[in-house]
Amino acid sequence: MTRGEPEDPRAARTRARLRSALLAECAERPLEEVGVAALVRRAGVGRATFYVHYPDLEALAVDACADVVREAVEALHAWQGRPDPVRAPAALPEFFGSLTPHAALYRTLLAPGGGGPLGRVLHRDLRAYSLRERERAGAADAPLVASAVAATFAGVLADWLHGDLDGTPGEIADQVWQLLVALHASR
């Protein structure tokens, strides 16, 4: 399917059932212990149907967690007018707080430092959004700053999820926000 084409409603429903089943399975056990057989049973679909939509469980897990990427991008850009350089927009601490129910799954897909399959998606999407915004504003060094913003956010998020950074969702949101504001102001 290419971008812009309407999605087949049946395929969308099947993928939604598979994503939901995976999140439910991962609430009970780590992703490494989830099997395709148990997943498709829970989703109420056949094994072959699973493989029509996803090559493996990791691809399904990244798709199931892709909303976290969209939410992160939206939270980082949820301010109007001139941003407060110290306090993050309310959506950002809410975003960090919302990660708790599936934190183990996010840790599996988002390696320390911001790598891993979910980290790559987060970096790509956040960089693209930041680049668009900086180019629209005519800001200097748009590609450089967009890359730095994406890497900084993905790295801080991953390290916080892995316990390498301490702080409540509000504290870590304010800290990463201050870094990102400084990156934007530096060029």
Side-chain angles (χ1 to χ4, degrees):
M1 185 173 75
T2 61
R3 288 183 188 255
E5 286 183 25
E7 186 174 22
D8 176 2
R10 291 171 298 166
R13 282 191 302 273
T14 299
R15 281 192 294 278
R17 287 169 60 187
L18 288 166
R19 287 189 302 265
S20 178
L22 179 83
L23 292 174
E25 286 288 320
C26 287
E28 298 170 3
R29 66 188 58 76
L31 178 62
E32 302 81 38
E33 295 177 14
V34 174
V36 173
L39 176 78
V40 297
R41 234 183 345 271
R42 185 177 282 233
V45 301
R47 190 178 188 93
T49 300
F50 169 81
Y51 288 108
V52 165
H53 295 282
Y54 298 101
D56 54 32
L57 283 171
E58 183 178 277
L60 169 59
V62 170
D63 187 35
C65 295
D67 280 346
V68 78
V69 171
R70 180 187 49 77
E71 291 166 6
V73 171
E74 289 175 4
L76 284 172
H77 296 90
W79 49 273
Q80 299 290 326
R82 191 169 187 84
D84 181 333
V86 177
R87 305 281 301 163
L92 196 54
E94 290 170 11
F95 163 75
F96 278 96
S98 74
L99 299 176
T100 304
H102 300 294
L105 179 58
Y106 298 140
R107 282 190 296 273
T108 299
L109 301 171
L110 187 62
L118 190 59
R120 286 188 293 276
V121 173
L122 176 60
H123 187 275
R124 180 197 66 215
D125 290 0
L126 184 53
R127 184 185 187 283
Y129 191 103
S130 184
L131 182 61
R132 255 190 332 270
E133 292 299 307
R134 291 194 61 78
E135 287 175 340
R136 189 176 298 143
D141 293 328
L144 176 67
V145 174
S147 289
V149 164
T152 298
F153 185 78
V156 168
L157 173 62
D159 288 353
W160 180 72
L161 283 168
H162 283 277
D164 295 333
L165 295 173
D166 292 327
T168 66
E171 291 166 346
I172 202 70
D174 285 344
Q175 291 168 358
V176 75
W177 180 253
Q178 291 165 19
L179 289 171
L180 297 176
V181 168
L183 281 171
H184 278 282
S186 68
R187 300 302 298 183

